[in-house]
Amino acid sequence: MSACHESIRLLTSTRTNSILGIRMSTRIPILVLGATGYIGGSVLARLLAHSDRDEFDITALVRSPRNAARLDSFGITTVIGTLEEAGKLEVLASQAHVVFSMADAKNLRAIQAILRGLRKRREDTGDLPLLIHNSGTACLNDDARGMYSSDVIYDDMKPEQIEALPSSQPHRQVDMAIVEADQRGYLRSYIILPSSVYGIVSGPLVNARVQNPYARLMPHFIRCALDRGQVGMVGNGVSTWNNVEIGELTDLYMILLETLLAEPEKAGHGSEGYYFAENGEHTWCELSRAIGVALRQLGISKNIEPTSLNEEEVAKYGGTLEGGYALGTNARCRANRARALGWRPTKTTNDMLDSLKAQSQALIMEQQAKQQMMM
């Protein structure tokens, strides 16, 4: 029996549900929020394929009855609802030993409801629940506007750097509330902060038309280029971000979960529980130019060189992600704490740049299919 499996057996064999007054299932209750999303769906797919899948009692909150019905066929419990239904979120969280929060990194009201539910679980059952939350390195954004590359590099082994970020930074109010809950002792929190995530997802949830297969950031850049007829960038495009491939990001989630179930003291939590996800970095200009090359290879555009967005274009394209100049910021980091857990990503920036042709082709085909449906 594996250490992970033995830890699961010991955890579940003594758990009771004081709310219902009956002994609970000997399976670990896991709540997944964001199950139909790019990252959340990828994590859910890995849970479904996990060697200890039979030990997991998975519940997913989904918005549509159609997706609920499709997910039911995978042997999980679905609840129809939204992050705006605080009461429902609180109850669902109170029933979970592990909560994967991967739906909205900015929704403070939702996370407050989740925290209330986990506090109730702690008080009613004595169980110490685990909250694994997906944030993002947008919290590191500066105001470079594409004009310089910062020398500031954040290290997840130096939480004082992250804790010094003001609450006005993207995601920070949510992350701070989570860490405070950990400090109060009624849960243990683990915050994963992905950098620019790339790659097209495939697998059973995508095949079932449940999961979104595309990332947010790079497809956004591609769609902007298709719309304006040429790739663009904010300022001179010399600001720097990190990147991480979606499968390797999901590896980090699984390594963290398995560590928590087998050797929980090995993983830092609370203020020591920030985990960056990165394996390389790029400038916005490099990203834009690689998209330009891809679009020329696909016969869409002749000019591969990016041009600076004017103010109107910044408002149109740059304003969709955390503010008008988010696409020209610096957000540099190193995932040393994640690597200390045994995470070993191998996909590099070159892999990310090489992936842009396939992403561009997929988005072009999707766009053409939509246009045909409208005719």
Side-chain angles (χ1 to χ4, degrees):
M1 181 180 291
S2 69
C4 179
H5 186 91
E6 174 63 9
S7 177
I8 292 171
R9 186 189 67 78
L10 293 174
L11 169 68
T12 59
S13 63
T14 58
R15 190 172 62 245
T16 60
N17 189 326
S18 60
I19 299 174
L20 300 178
I22 59 174
R23 194 169 187 79
M24 292 180 65
S25 164
T26 58
R27 304 168 75 191
I28 292 184
I30 297 176
L31 174 63
V32 177
L33 303 173
T36 63
Y38 179 66
I39 295 175
S42 298
V43 171
L44 176 57
R46 290 290 293 273
L47 290 173
L48 293 172
H50 198 278
S51 59
D52 287 316
R53 167 67 180 96
D54 289 343
E55 307 292 346
F56 300 153
D57 186 2
I58 304 173
T59 298
L61 178 70
V62 294
R63 285 177 291 187
S64 77
R66 181 183 64 179
N67 282 337
R70 290 171 177 170
L71 282 175
D72 286 342
S73 67
F74 289 91
I76 68 176
T77 301
T78 55
V79 176
I80 298 172
T82 71
L83 295 182
E84 306 309 313
E85 297 178 79
K88 185 174 292 185
L89 269 182
E90 184 174 337
V91 170
L92 289 173
S94 73
Q95 298 170 348
H97 175 64
V98 181
V99 174
F100 284 96
S101 169
M102 303 172 289
D104 185 348
K106 304 182 295 297
N107 195 323
L108 182 60
R109 289 187 61 191
I111 208 66
Q112 288 170 337
I114 293 166
L115 296 176
R116 288 194 299 271
L118 295 177
R119 182 175 60 205
K120 182 174 179 57
R121 179 176 182 82
R122 177 63 168 166
E123 293 170 350
D124 290 348
T125 70
D127 179 37
L128 184 61
L130 312 174
L131 174 58
I132 302 174
H133 175 73
N134 188 81
S135 181
T137 58
C139 66
L140 311 179
N141 281 359
D142 61 13
D143 193 33
R145 306 191 182 197
M147 301 307 294
Y148 61 86
S149 181
S150 174
D151 293 330
V152 178
I153 301 177
Y154 291 83
D155 184 339
D156 55 11
M157 292 293 276
K158 298 178 180 178
E160 65 276 7
Q161 285 184 301
I162 304 171
E163 295 286 287
L165 293 167
S167 61
S168 57
Q169 288 291 97
H171 315 323
R172 280 300 292 157
Q173 288 190 4
V174 169
D175 293 356
M176 291 166 66
I178 292 171
V179 171
E180 181 183 358
D182 183 287
Q183 292 170 343
R184 292 185 178 183
Y186 60 85
L187 58 81
R188 285 194 172 179
S189 68
Y190 310 86
I191 300 176
I192 295 179
L193 301 96
S195 50
S196 300
V197 190
Y198 68 91
I200 302 173
V201 175
S202 60
L205 296 182
V206 174
N207 294 340
R209 294 181 295 170
V210 172
Q211 181 188 0
N212 169 29
Y214 301 118
R216 185 183 179 195
L217 181 60
M218 292 174 193
H220 174 77
F221 249 58
I222 295 167
R223 291 186 178 102
C224 291
L226 292 173
D227 187 54
R228 71 192 294 264
Q230 185 175 359
V231 287
M233 60 189 177
V234 173
N236 294 333
V238 295
S239 303
T240 305
W241 265 61
N242 293 90
N243 43 259
V244 63
E245 193 267 337
I246 180 61
E248 298 192 327
L249 171 61
T250 313
D251 288 341
L252 175 56
Y253 269 94
M254 292 300 103
I255 289 170
L256 178 57
L257 176 65
E258 290 163 4
T259 301
L260 297 180
L261 295 179
E263 301 177 85
E265 299 307 319
K266 183 179 176 182
H269 61 92
S271 61
E272 301 283 338
Y274 292 102
Y275 297 85
F276 289 134
E278 58 78 25
N279 196 44
E281 57 184 20
H282 60 273
T283 65
W284 294 104
C285 183
E286 288 175 315
L287 175 63
S288 295
R289 192 176 190 280
I291 293 172
V293 171
L295 293 180
R296 184 175 67 178
Q297 291 173 342
L298 293 170
I300 301 299
S301 175
K302 294 182 179 180
N303 196 334
I304 66 173
E305 296 300 330
T307 58
S308 296
L309 304 177
N310 59 38
E311 290 188 9
E312 181 179 340
E313 289 176 319
V314 167
K316 181 178 181 180
Y317 302 120
T320 62
L321 297 171
E322 311 290 357
Y325 288 95
L327 300 184
T329 62
N330 290 290
R332 305 181 69 187
C333 63
R334 297 293 181 267
N336 291 319
R337 187 180 299 276
R339 288 181 171 86
L341 278 184
W343 186 53
R344 298 290 183 267
T346 61
K347 302 291 186 181
T348 67
T349 297
N350 285 337
D351 292 301
M352 181 275 290
L353 296 174
D354 289 343
S355 75
L356 293 169
K357 181 178 180 180
Q359 293 185 69
S360 298
Q361 187 171 25
L363 292 172
I364 291 168
M365 292 176 63
E366 180 186 75
Q367 188 178 77
Q368 291 172 343
K370 288 181 179 179
Q371 290 173 347
Q372 290 179 353
M373 290 179 62
M374 294 175 62
M375 292 176 63

